[in-house]
């Protein structure tokens, strides 16, 4: 009997980010829809979590986990890196060497490789741009999630053919059926309020240089924003939060809105969400969601809302899938690149 093809998928899963978890779920679903028998192994930052939630084998994606990766790669028929916004250095200067080391390891071992639906953003360091272009020229298939990503790779000297596809998480459209039985906590529900429900989801946005984001550390516990997050003294962030808080107060005053603050990724986004709530005057009309929802639960929760304001790409993608009108109040590169798709 011929053994099932073995595919290793590598990305940011295992950290609890619903966007990344949605991407992995859609990749697995897509692979299984193409092949009845397939053996998928996910390289994850939390293998136990990934295996439990996605029903696949998982191994460590840490640099120190190379001893676990080598035997897996030797037996694999395909290595997939992506999707998600992996090719950037704004969250950490360690991103590029980490992802390229995984990709180069697979290519050097002679394994068919694929870059799948990855987002690319301006990289500050020329050395990293060169590293990316050289590594991708050795990959068998390169696909990115938007035209801007393709243009950036070409501008860095990538000669390989680049195909523009969509963010893999759009595959959730085929997985969403009804409301799934998921609802925001009862006190935030429409049945207890006669005004519109406005969802607001804000993200942490830091320039961490060559450090590792604290929210990726196992010991990290989200707390009220202050010196621990580095955001309290950032004037641009303060102005932004104050403006959104004024908008929330205006919505309460003019249309009796109920404001639901929904941190998409609790570990990373709760501090900025707490700071935002603290700036709103009409706090009795505000509900802060404190539980971490799965991607399908988030789609169902956003479907209950009358409008949604989000700063994470996948929060807007979830809103689009749910059919809820949404606004992106900031102009991050990866949001601008998806304006046409989201429209």
């Amino acid at each position: 009997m011929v053994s099932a093809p073995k595919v290793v998928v590598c990305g940011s899963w295992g950290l609890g980010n619903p966007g990344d978890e949605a991407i992995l779920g859609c990749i697995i679903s897509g692979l299984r829809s193409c092949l009845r028998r397939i053996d998928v192994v996910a390289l994850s930052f939390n293998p136990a979590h990934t295996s439990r939630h996605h029903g696949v084998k998982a191994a460590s994606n840490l640099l120190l986990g190379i001893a676990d990766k080598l035997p897996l790669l030797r037996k694999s028929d395909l290595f997939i890196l992506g999707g998600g916004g992996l090719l950037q250095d704004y969250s950490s200067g360690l991103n590029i060497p980490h992802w390229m080391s995984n990709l180069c390891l697979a290519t050097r071992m002679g394994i068919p490789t694929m870059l799948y639906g990855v987002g690319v953003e301006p990289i500050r360091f020329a050395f990293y741009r060169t590293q990316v272009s050289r590594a991708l020229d050795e990959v068998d298939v390169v696909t990115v999630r938007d035209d801007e990503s393709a243009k950036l790779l070409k501008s860095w000297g990538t000669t390989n053919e680049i195909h523009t596809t969509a963010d893999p998480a759009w595959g959730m459209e085929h997985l969403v059926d009804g409301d799934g039985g998921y609802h925001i906590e009862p006190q935030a529900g429409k049945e207890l309020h006669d005004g519109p429900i406005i969802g607001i989801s804000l993200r942490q946005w830091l320039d961490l240089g060559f450090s590792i984001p604290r929210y990726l550390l196992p010991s990290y516990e989200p707390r009220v924003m202050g010196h621990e997050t580095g955001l309290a003294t950032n004037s641009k962030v303060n102005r932004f939060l104050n403006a959104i808080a004024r908008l929330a107060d205006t919505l309460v005053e003019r249309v009796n809105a109920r404001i639901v603050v929904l941190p998409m990724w609790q570990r990373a986004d709760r501090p900025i969400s707490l700071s935002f709530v603290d700036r709103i005057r009409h706090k009795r009309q505000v509900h802060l969601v404190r539980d971490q929802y799965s991607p399908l639960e988030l789609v169902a929760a956003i479907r209950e809302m009358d409008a949604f304001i989000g700063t994470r790409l996948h929060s807007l993608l979830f809103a689009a899938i749910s059919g809820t009108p949404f606004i992106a109040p900031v102009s991050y590169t990866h949001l601008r690149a998806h304006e046409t798709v989201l429209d």
Side-chain angles (χ1 to χ4, degrees):
M1 183 176 179
V2 179
S3 61
K6 294 178 175 59
V7 179
V8 175
V9 292
C10 179
S12 289
W13 18 92
L15 297 172
N17 183 338
D20 293 321
E21 298 305 318
I23 287 170
L24 177 58
C26 291
I27 290 176
I28 294 170
S29 176
L31 289 170
R32 288 174 173 169
S33 69
C34 295
L35 295 170
R36 291 183 179 180
R37 296 176 60 249
I38 190 168
D39 186 5
V40 179
V41 180
L43 295 184
S44 167
F45 291 105
N46 187 335
H49 176 276
T50 297
S51 181
R52 184 169 61 252
H53 284 81
H54 293 280
V56 297
K57 299 174 185 176
S60 175
N61 194 16
L62 298 175
L63 288 173
L64 296 177
I66 191 169
D68 296 325
K69 295 176 186 178
L70 287 174
L72 288 174
L73 291 173
R74 289 193 186 101
K75 299 177 182 178
S76 66
D77 299 294
L78 175 65
F79 177 87
I80 298 175
L81 177 64
L86 303 183
L87 300 186
Q88 47 80 14
D89 61 356
Y90 58 76
S91 62
S92 173
L94 301 177
N95 277 343
I96 300 302
H98 176 74
W99 299 120
M100 291 303 98
S101 66
N102 280 283
L103 192 59
C104 290
L105 180 62
T107 56
R108 293 295 182 272
M109 295 178 70
I111 302 163
T113 53
M114 178 180 186
L115 187 78
Y116 178 44
V118 166
V120 185
E121 299 193 38
I123 294 177
R124 293 170 293 179
F125 301 102
F127 171 77
Y128 282 169
R129 296 194 292 269
T130 301
Q131 184 182 15
V132 168
S133 64
R134 289 179 177 174
L136 294 188
D137 281 342
E138 302 298 321
V139 174
D140 294 284
V141 178
V142 176
T143 70
V144 293
R145 66 185 182 185
D146 55 78
D147 291 331
E148 291 302 315
S149 293
K151 290 177 183 177
L152 278 173
L153 291 181
K154 288 296 184 182
S155 71
W156 298 341
T158 304
T159 58
N160 206 341
E161 185 176 5
I162 301 171
H163 305 272
T164 301
T165 178
D167 189 291
W170 280 108
M172 285 184 62
E173 290 182 296
H174 305 292
L175 304 177
V176 175
D177 181 18
D179 67 7
Y182 303 123
H183 300 281
I184 304 170
E185 287 87 335
Q187 60 265 41
K190 291 183 179 180
E191 67 277 7
L192 299 180
H193 187 72
D194 59 2
I197 305 293
I198 308 298
I200 299 180
S201 182
L202 306 176
R203 69 166 298 164
Q204 207 87 311
W205 200 263
L206 298 176
D207 181 359
L208 294 164
F210 285 88
S211 62
I212 298 175
R214 292 191 181 187
Y215 53 77
L216 301 187
L217 302 176
S219 60
Y220 174 79
E221 288 294 335
R223 54 177 68 97
V224 176
M225 191 172 66
H227 295 295
E228 189 272 339
T229 65
L231 281 171
T233 57
N234 188 315
S235 60
K236 289 184 179 179
V237 172
N238 275 314
R239 289 197 299 271
F240 171 71
L241 292 178
N242 289 337
I244 300 298
R246 288 195 299 271
L247 172 61
D249 283 323
T250 301
L251 289 169
V252 171
E253 293 163 2
R254 294 189 179 182
V255 297
N256 191 31
R258 175 74 163 169
I259 307 299
V260 176
V261 181
L262 179 60
M264 298 294 291
W265 185 9
Q266 289 285 342
R267 285 176 64 90
D269 299 342
R270 193 186 303 173
I272 196 170
S273 299
L274 289 168
S275 181
F276 167 64
V277 169
D278 190 54
R279 298 162 195 253
I280 300 175
R281 290 186 290 107
H282 299 288
K283 289 183 173 55
R284 294 187 64 179
Q285 294 287 90
V286 178
H287 175 68
L288 173 64
V289 176
R290 297 180 181 274
D291 294 333
Q292 179 64 67
Y293 286 174
S294 72
L296 288 176
E297 289 171 330
L298 286 166
V299 171
I302 295 172
R303 183 183 285 124
E304 294 183 8
M305 301 171 183
D306 296 288
F308 183 79
I309 300 171
T311 57
R312 282 191 178 275
L313 171 63
H314 288 102
S315 72
L316 302 176
L317 188 151
F318 293 166
I321 290 174
S322 73
T324 299
F326 61 87
I327 298 172
V330 292
S331 186
Y332 298 139
T333 303
H334 62 298
L335 296 185
R336 290 198 304 271
H338 283 77
E339 284 175 345
T340 303
V341 176
L342 291 170
D343 285 343

